[in-house]
Amino acid sequence: MDFKIQWFPGHMTKAKRMMEQQLKLVDVVVEMLDARIPRSSSNPMLIQMLGDKPKVVALNKIDMADPEKTEKWLQTFKNSGLPVCKVDCSTGKGVKQMVAAIQQVARPVTDKWLRKGVRNRSIRVMIVGVPNVGKSTLINRLVGKNKVVAADRPGVTRGQQWVTIAKGLELLDTPGVLWPKFEDQTVGLRLAFIGSIKDEILNTEELAAELIQFMKKHYAGVLAEKYAITEVEDPYACLTDIAKNRHCLLRGSELDTNKAAMLLIDDFRNGRLGKITLEFPEDYE
Ligand code: GDP
């Protein structure tokens, strides 16, 4: 499988340049990660770009992640000294706490301003992350009924706006898009599972087979129950059984394993296989 297709070096250079420009405008950054793959959905380049700018990590989509694993990930981030919070942007759960966390990490910045006699200056924040982690959903939620404060401030590209989301806190209404890191095949696979990489570049059946392998190992019994199959050794045999039980048929009553693969991946992505985390902090210890 080749995951390197979607992000050409030129795209990455452009994304990096844009991120650097946007970063100049803000005091604090929220790095949004998918709680199901906190490692694979992060981009290590961000640390270099941030310098000493404060950052809050937001683990999103906790409604679809394994709660026990989410707690472990939270602890792991805390242990490494990173302010972290968990959010579910589809309902807004945890968003208030996230805003409080932003205000807290911004305190050294505001303290510095106070020492310099700067008053009435708002903290500016932006949301960054790889595609599909939920950045726009969070921004829409935060912007909500809040009003735009200034659309035409220097440095802000046309179409970008600052929105006051809390007292003394302004949000850039355009997210910073980070590129996924593909060096590691496993990372590419996990990004594909959550839909961060376009499907057409992947072989759906191979992807489904990988997901079946993972599920059998870490969430044994889930597929058996959901699709009334036996979790046999060969993932392709499982896929065939899913096709059989879900009546995925080609013309002439031949089994359509590609359709079954799409069905399985779709079920996973929509949380219909339950709350599943794809990578665990203990694997990185
Ligand atoms: P972006 O590419 O990072 O801006 O991601 P989007 O905001 O477009 O979100 C990608 C998809 O994830 C959309 O279908 C959202 O509805 C969905 N989504 C965002 N946040 C959550 C969440 O907390 N839980 C769930 N279940 N879905 C979410």
Side-chain angles (χ1 to χ4, degrees):
M1 266 186 272
D2 189 355
F3 297 110
K4 297 197 176 98
I5 305 167
Q6 196 194 1
W7 285 80
F8 295 106
H11 289 168
M12 293 192 206
T13 311
K14 199 170 158 220
K16 182 164 183 261
R17 212 178 300 137
M18 201 165 144
M19 178 73 67
E20 281 165 348
Q21 291 302 323
Q22 287 174 310
L23 282 175
K24 284 186 196 152
L25 309 172
V26 300
D27 307 298
V28 178
V29 163
V30 173
E31 184 182 17
M32 184 169 248
L33 304 176
D34 189 309
R36 297 167 297 174
I37 51 165
R39 269 299 166 108
S40 297
S41 59
S42 77
N43 182 323
M45 284 287 282
L46 182 66
I47 302 170
Q48 297 167 31
M49 285 191 277
L50 280 181
D52 54 6
K53 218 168 273 244
K55 176 175 97 167
V56 170
V57 173
L59 293 183
N60 189 35
K61 307 201 185 183
I62 51 158
D63 56 310
M64 295 204 278
D66 185 334
E68 194 191 309
K69 300 292 179 193
T70 300
E71 289 314 311
K72 285 196 174 153
W73 274 115
L74 282 172
Q75 204 48 55
T76 305
F77 281 104
K78 278 182 197 156
N79 292 348
S80 63
L82 271 173
V84 59
C85 48
K86 48 179 186 178
V87 283
D88 168 0
C89 291
S90 60
T91 62
K93 204 170 142 196
V95 172
K96 231 190 214 163
Q97 289 86 333
M98 187 199 70
V99 171
I102 297 170
Q103 286 169 318
Q104 199 178 346
V105 296
R107 203 147 297 152
V109 181
T110 44
D111 285 350
K112 200 167 101 193
W113 290 346
L114 276 179
R115 283 199 299 276
K116 286 192 192 164
V118 178
R119 273 162 217 286
N120 297 325
R121 178 168 167 184
S122 291
I123 285 288
R124 294 184 194 161
V125 60
M126 74 184 280
I127 317 292
V128 309
V130 301
N132 216 39
V133 289
K135 300 180 294 299
S136 310
T137 312
L138 174 63
I139 290 172
N140 288 339
R141 202 160 264 291
L142 287 169
V143 170
K145 292 188 281 308
N146 291 306
K147 72 171 196 301
V148 171
V149 273
D152 56 355
R153 253 193 216 151
V156 178
T157 313
R158 208 205 305 221
Q160 294 185 333
Q161 295 177 323
W162 294 104
V163 181
T164 301
I165 55 165
K167 194 169 177 289
L169 192 61
E170 290 178 11
L171 173 77
L172 187 63
D173 75 348
T174 315
V177 181
L178 285 167
W179 53 99
K181 47 171 199 212
F182 298 103
E183 300 79 32
D184 179 349
Q185 284 269 313
T186 322
V187 169
L189 248 186
R190 290 171 182 164
L191 287 162
F193 287 150
I194 67 147
S196 190
I197 297 177
K198 286 208 176 85
D199 285 345
E200 53 264 39
I201 66 163
L202 296 163
N203 176 326
T204 315
E205 287 179 49
E206 261 180 283
L207 193 63
E210 296 280 356
L211 186 59
I212 291 169
Q213 294 281 43
F214 174 85
M215 291 296 295
K216 282 195 304 174
K217 185 164 176 208
H218 297 283
Y219 293 91
V222 171
L223 297 181
E225 196 183 321
K226 173 88 182 160
Y227 302 109
I229 59 165
T230 307
E231 291 180 0
V232 291
E233 179 74 23
D234 177 11
Y236 289 95
C238 292
L239 195 58
T240 308
D241 285 347
I242 295 174
K244 232 181 266 169
N245 294 350
R246 287 300 169 102
H247 310 291
C248 301
L249 298 173
L250 291 164
R251 243 180 286 185
S253 74
E254 199 184 321
L255 290 173
D256 189 345
T257 43
N258 192 52
K259 191 172 170 194
M262 283 194 284
L263 184 129
L264 170 73
I265 292 164
D266 201 52
D267 280 345
F268 167 74
R269 287 186 184 155
N270 289 299
R272 287 190 291 265
L273 297 184
K275 295 178 190 288
I276 290 152
T277 297
L278 293 169
E279 61 191 13
F280 314 134
E282 52 267 34
D283 294 341
Y284 295 91
E285 275 161 6

